Amino acid sequence: KTSKMQYYNNPMWPGEAHSLKVEKILYQGKSPYQEILVLESSTYGNVLVLDGIVQLTDKDECAYQEMVTHLPLCSIPSPKNVLVVGGGDGGVLREIARHDSVETIDICEIDQLVIDVCKEFFPNLSIGYKDPRVRLHVGDAVDFLRNSPEGKYDAIIVDSSDPIGPAQALVEKPFFQTIARALKSGGVLCNLAESMWLHTHLIQDMLAICRQTFKGAVHYAWTSVPTYPSGVIGFLLCAKEGRPVNFLTPVNPIEKIQGATKAGKELRFYNSEIHRAAFVLPTFVRRELESY
Ligand SMILES: NCCCN[C@H]1CC[C@H](N)CC1
């Protein structure tokens, strides 16, 4: 039985913990990379937990998966080739599938067990794998990107876990450089960028690296996800030079996209107004990020 104190020891959010009432433990296992737990909660549906950290719940996954996907894909006129780094649950694949302009969807997930578990316990997310445009690569994204041809992707979405564990390398400069090389000119990256309440230094470091690596626009955006620490999560939107990209006004509004309902479920969170709102920052965040 884990003592209460252990819950407060995660270095990413020391001294705080989030609790959910659990009806049943649906799965408990360990892959070569992480501990995997699936819980049936009383009020948030099924919950995926990796190394003790909530990755997603049925109730609020729409906020994260829709924003991490449509903030980049609605910012360029007609994305064709898209890469997902991580994202083994399939939720981002489900969201990309709404865009009819997309021709190929590559996904590089390191942990096969996460894929298998999500196919069993999260059918509303793993539905994403059913799209014929999806090509799954199980392995390390650092190697995958190093071997990717230059200038292949219109958009790359890094849907990773927190940078403590298998996703550690995904916030370091060499990784961002391999992403920039794999993007077409004017291509866009959307990267997980943690919480404005908890991770100012990490966000500042990532902003500094991205401004050096991507000569186009670089913006921090955020959204509400109740089951993530501090109840919000951030995204870093980066554009490679070569074409003007204005992240703040969607050029490819999802409401106009026929595929909007194709993914078997209507959008539940994203729309063009919340796209614009995501880039509006509280005053303390503007101050903390302005010189980065
Ligand atoms: N694909 C599910 C979302 C994975 N993203 C992360 C989960 C853990 C959080 N602390 C940060 C986002």
Side-chain angles (χ1 to χ4, degrees), residues 12-13 48 50 53-56 61 64-65 68 86-92 125 158-163 192-194 199 227-229 232-235:
M12 287 288 290
W13 32 86
L48 176 66
L50 299 181
I53 300 174
V54 169
Q55 299 297 304
L56 58 92
E61 56 91 6
Y64 177 90
Q65 317 281 9
V68 83
D89 50 78
V92 169
L125 286 107
V158 179
D159 172 25
S160 64
S161 48
D162 298 288
L192 158 70
E194 301 297 359
H199 303 120
T227 53
Y228 285 172
V232 295
I233 193 73
F235 308 100

